[in-house]
Amino acid sequence: MEEQPNLEAIMGLIMYGGNAKSDAMEAIASAKEGNFELADQKIADAEASLVEAHHSQTGLLTQEAQGNNITVTLLTVHSQDHLMTSIAFTDLAKEIIDVYRRIDAN
């Protein structure tokens, strides 16, 4: 089997994107229980993972911009899907946590 170039960057997108989504889900669960300190920490953890994922993505984009076209495989597409889903999920988690804060304040 041929080794896929950029496998480390692609796996970074999948791993950090997955971590971000998991942390965002834990943040929602914490807010639901009224533990907003933990919810805020989990959102911060999710955002830190997204930054790491973006670093992986930036490496791929820079390579492409320099004229070194990368082969798009199913794994590459999956990694981008993972990242975009994680970004959307983290953004939505922040909104849900805000709703729980408002409910808790009443």
Side-chain angles (χ1 to χ4, degrees), residues 1 8 16 40 45 51 69 75 77 84 93:
M1 181 176 204
E8 187 175 329
Y16 289 116
D40 291 340
D45 293 345
V51 167
N69 295 334
L75 192 58
V77 172
M84 296 309 299

Side-chain angles (χ1 to χ4, degrees), residues 6-49:
N6 302 307
L7 186 58
E8 187 175 329
I10 291 166
M11 293 309 290
L13 286 170
I14 293 169
M15 179 184 69
Y16 289 116
N19 289 348
K21 187 176 176 193
S22 293
D23 284 332
M25 190 61 153
E26 289 178 26
I28 293 170
S30 296
K32 186 175 183 178
E33 294 173 359
N35 189 343
F36 297 106
E37 185 176 330
L38 182 57
D40 291 340
Q41 179 58 54
K42 288 296 182 176
I43 287 295
D45 293 345
E47 290 175 334
S49 288

